[in-house]
Amino acid sequence: MTREEILNELKKVIAPYTTNKEMLAGIDDNTDLIKDLKINSANLVDIIIDAEAKYDIEIDYDSADKMVNVGNCVDVINEKLKEK
Amino acid sequence: MLSAGNDIVSFAEIDPVRTNQAAFYKKILTDWEVLQYQKLADTIAAFEVYVWLLWSVKEAAFKFLRRLNSQIVFSPSKFIVGDIKSLEISAFKSLGFDETKNALNKTTWHGHITVDKTELMYFSVIGVDYVHSIIHQVHNSGESYAGVKHITDTSAQNQSSEVRKLCLDQLRQLMPGIQFNINKSEQGVPFIYNIDEKVTHPVSFSHHGHFVAYSFVI
């Protein structure tokens, strides 16, 4: 998958957890999940679990720690897909 | 270490079925913390409540430490809750836990959390609808105060304004006649400013669904 394809799918994973739907449509690598998308930190684990299920990957602790903005999320998913 | 950290989790916003799945709770708890639940199963009946109690403690510790080190990463598996003990609710009243004025259906807990080599003390209240945790350092020069409020409008803007109003109301009760406002540092960390005495105090805000909460040290 290209980064763009991962990003488009990632929007669907994030959608249930953000109240900022307008910003979701225009997210880029620098978009912060908590500050910009107003995602409650308690939902970050949900996003990781949903991403694991969607891409059939396993996201370890160290990788999960990096997933604070959209660019980092795409990088981690891309890396795990290549490891499959 | 003068800082503040708190976190609230609304039970209405969590998924109890998902929380009980190992794939989920193992992202939050260490294996040792999972085993500790067996000792508490009689007093914290639901495992999902235990999971979110520990999450709130870890998140509160993260907020406390982020004020002191902006580079710290929130990694739940590296924030280790060392002990979880029941505590008389009267101890919380002396701490300034505003929410314990009504003790009905609430249990209170305290213990230690370790992050790298730093050990912090936490206090938590489990209510019917939420769990709220604060970090309180006994060596701090000040006293900790905390409060929780149920709100109707859950928009981010309203959560922000309600929690600040709640905090300022308690400050006015504690120090009548003193003018305070609440600002954020360049790093986005909130603080209380005592306008009359020109001093600042650390404050932490949290919100989840219909609940907002704060803790501060003064």
Side-chain angles (χ1 to χ4, degrees):
Chain A
M1 291 179 83
T2 65
R3 281 183 64 87
E4 190 178 351
E5 287 169 333
I6 293 172
L7 180 63
N8 286 333
E9 290 299 310
L10 184 63
K11 284 182 187 176
K12 296 174 192 169
V13 171
I14 292 172
Y17 306 108
T18 179
T19 55
N20 197 342
K21 305 292 183 193
E22 284 180 24
M23 179 160 263
L24 181 65
I27 58 174
D28 60 29
D29 280 0
N30 295 319
T31 305
D32 188 286
L33 300 185
I34 292 176
K35 289 178 190 162
D36 298 325
L37 291 173
K38 307 296 181 195
I39 292 170
N40 194 287
S41 60
N43 289 128
L44 294 180
V45 179
D46 288 301
I47 290 172
I48 291 166
I49 298 282
D50 290 349
E52 287 182 328
K54 189 168 196 71
Y55 300 103
D56 190 25
I57 55 176
E58 188 171 339
I59 299 172
D60 55 87
Y61 292 131
D62 289 340
S63 299
D65 294 347
K66 298 174 190 167
M67 295 172 70
V68 292
N69 67 30
V70 169
N72 298 143
C73 290
V74 174
D75 287 342
V76 167
I77 292 166
N78 200 17
E79 183 186 313
K80 298 300 172 189
L81 285 171
K82 284 178 182 169
E83 288 174 5
K84 280 176 71 177
Chain B
M1 287 198 299
L2 195 59
S3 186
N6 93 113
D7 188 59
I8 190 159
V9 173
S10 164
F11 296 146
E13 306 297 319
I14 61 133
D15 180 341
V17 174
R18 171 171 265 198
T19 304
N20 276 283
Q21 293 169 351
F24 187 90
Y25 65 73
K26 286 191 171 183
K27 301 275 190 212
I28 298 173
L29 308 185
T30 63
D31 290 344
W32 187 84
E33 288 168 340
V34 173
L35 287 172
Q36 294 309 298
Y37 175 67
Q38 305 307 323
K39 296 179 185 172
L40 298 164
D42 291 341
T43 42
I44 302 178
F47 181 67
E48 63 267 22
V49 171
Y50 176 75
V51 173
W52 288 108
L53 164 66
L54 265 61
W55 168 275
S56 72
V57 171
K58 293 178 183 209
E59 178 84 23
F62 168 65
K63 290 178 180 173
F64 184 98
L65 293 172
R66 187 179 54 183
R67 185 182 302 270
L68 308 168
N69 171 15
S70 61
Q71 301 303 309
I72 192 169
V73 173
F74 183 42
S75 181
S77 64
K78 294 170 188 159
F79 285 56
I80 313 293
V81 177
D83 55 345
I84 305 158
K85 295 172 187 161
S86 181
L87 187 69
E88 288 292 320
I89 205 159
S90 57
F92 279 68
K93 287 175 182 165
S94 66
L95 265 177
F97 252 82
D98 207 33
E99 62 206 276
T100 54
K101 282 177 185 168
N102 176 5
L104 191 66
N105 296 324
K106 287 174 182 158
T107 58
T108 42
W109 305 85
H110 81 125
H112 298 84
I113 178 168
T114 304
V115 185
D116 197 8
K117 290 174 183 169
T118 303
E119 186 180 74
L120 304 169
M121 184 178 285
Y122 71 85
F123 292 82
S124 301
V125 175
I126 300 176
V128 174
D129 303 318
Y130 67 84
V131 53
H132 180 218
S133 297
I134 74 163
I135 299 298
H136 171 71
Q137 282 304 89
V138 288
H139 300 304
N140 275 350
S141 54
E143 294 292 329
S144 289
Y145 293 88
V148 170
K149 185 182 180 184
H150 182 275
I151 59 171
T152 304
D153 175 1
T154 60
S155 68
Q157 190 178 11
N158 189 58
Q159 287 172 328
S160 176
S161 68
E162 287 273 13
V163 75
R164 281 162 174 73
K165 182 175 178 300
L166 184 67
C167 179
L168 287 169
D169 284 348
Q170 183 164 39
L171 280 164
R172 288 190 195 103
Q173 285 179 30
L174 285 170
M175 300 171 75
I178 303 288
Q179 298 294 309
F180 296 98
N181 64 27
I182 293 168
N183 292 314
K184 272 189 176 180
S185 70
E186 288 179 9
Q187 290 75 35
V189 179
F191 62 88
I192 295 164
Y193 182 58
N194 178 330
I195 297 167
D196 295 345
E197 297 173 9
K198 295 183 172 54
V199 291
T200 63
H201 304 280
V203 64
S204 170
F205 297 124
S206 60
H207 58 80
H208 197 205
H210 286 279
F211 287 98
V212 294
Y214 67 84
S215 71
F216 62 79
V217 179
I218 200 160

